[in-house]
Amino acid sequence: MKAIPFLVSFITTGRLHGLGIGSTLSEVDRAIDASFVDVVDSGGLSLRRDYGFFEFSFNPGPEWVMANCSIELHRLASGPAMAETWCKSMRVDFPEYLAWDELRDALSQTPEAPAMKVTDQGGFLEYCAAVADVNVSVIVNDDREARRRSLGHGDVWSVSMWAAAPMQ
């Protein structure tokens, strides 16, 4: 699968490889076949699982449960090997750079795409929407620089989801 249809599905459903907010750590282990690093905070109140350019955060309970998920696309500009590894293990092909215009065009052709509210984040634009019980966000580089070893103007920095609180 190519990155854009994958991200359109993520944004419109609030799901990633069948996982969503509230999925357990064991469900993540079954769904994601890639190496990772786990970081538990000193108080044991949160767990961050880092797969390179995918990150999950978990809250404790009888079992760790997913609180948010981020696809850190900006990391691919300096480390495209992460995308190659993900493609081999998870069968999703990510480019080194992904233009917001391309993703927005694909979303505009998707009937179930949510209306996204844009806010300026000082050098970035954040496009947010509520999808069912999940908030989704696309962070876009708004800096006027051209692509080099990092993202250029209009490139997607990250795509995230987290438990819905009423959006303002």
Side-chain angles (χ1 to χ4, degrees):
M1 172 181 265
K2 295 289 186 186
I4 290 185
F6 177 81
L7 292 171
V8 166
S9 174
F10 181 91
I11 292 165
T12 59
T13 66
R15 311 280 303 164
L16 173 106
H17 291 298
L19 303 167
I21 301 306
S23 292
T24 64
L25 185 57
S26 60
E27 290 170 327
V28 172
D29 287 339
R30 286 190 297 273
I32 307 294
D33 180 25
S35 60
F36 58 87
V37 173
D38 279 343
V39 178
V40 178
D41 79 336
S42 60
L45 298 177
S46 69
L47 164 67
R48 183 175 58 87
R49 176 164 285 181
D50 189 341
Y51 289 93
F53 74 103
F54 278 75
E55 288 187 10
F56 296 88
S57 294
F58 297 87
N59 292 328
E63 186 172 358
W64 291 104
V65 294
M66 186 192 309
N68 66 46
C69 172
S70 295
I71 305 169
E72 303 292 339
L73 293 160
H74 62 94
R75 293 182 182 171
L76 297 179
S78 60
M82 284 186 255
E84 293 168 16
T85 301
W86 193 264
C87 186
K88 287 178 187 170
S89 63
M90 299 304 298
R91 294 176 175 68
V92 180
D93 187 15
F94 281 90
E96 188 174 3
Y97 304 98
L98 182 80
W100 168 238
D101 287 347
E102 293 178 56
L103 181 55
R104 183 179 53 217
D105 287 348
L107 281 167
S108 72
Q109 297 172 31
T110 306
E112 62 273 12
M116 301 187 90
K117 177 183 171 186
V118 64
T119 56
D120 187 332
Q121 298 293 332
F124 297 92
L125 296 175
E126 181 177 28
Y127 295 84
C128 286
V131 178
D133 293 335
V134 175
N135 288 328
V136 293
S137 168
V138 180
I139 304 291
V140 177
N141 185 2
D142 195 33
D143 147 351
R144 295 291 170 194
E145 295 293 318
R147 286 179 181 160
R148 288 192 197 68
R149 289 186 172 182
S150 62
L151 302 184
H153 177 72
D155 286 329
V156 176
W157 182 269
S158 66
V159 181
S160 304
M161 70 173 158
W162 66 96
M167 292 187 67
Q168 304 298 324

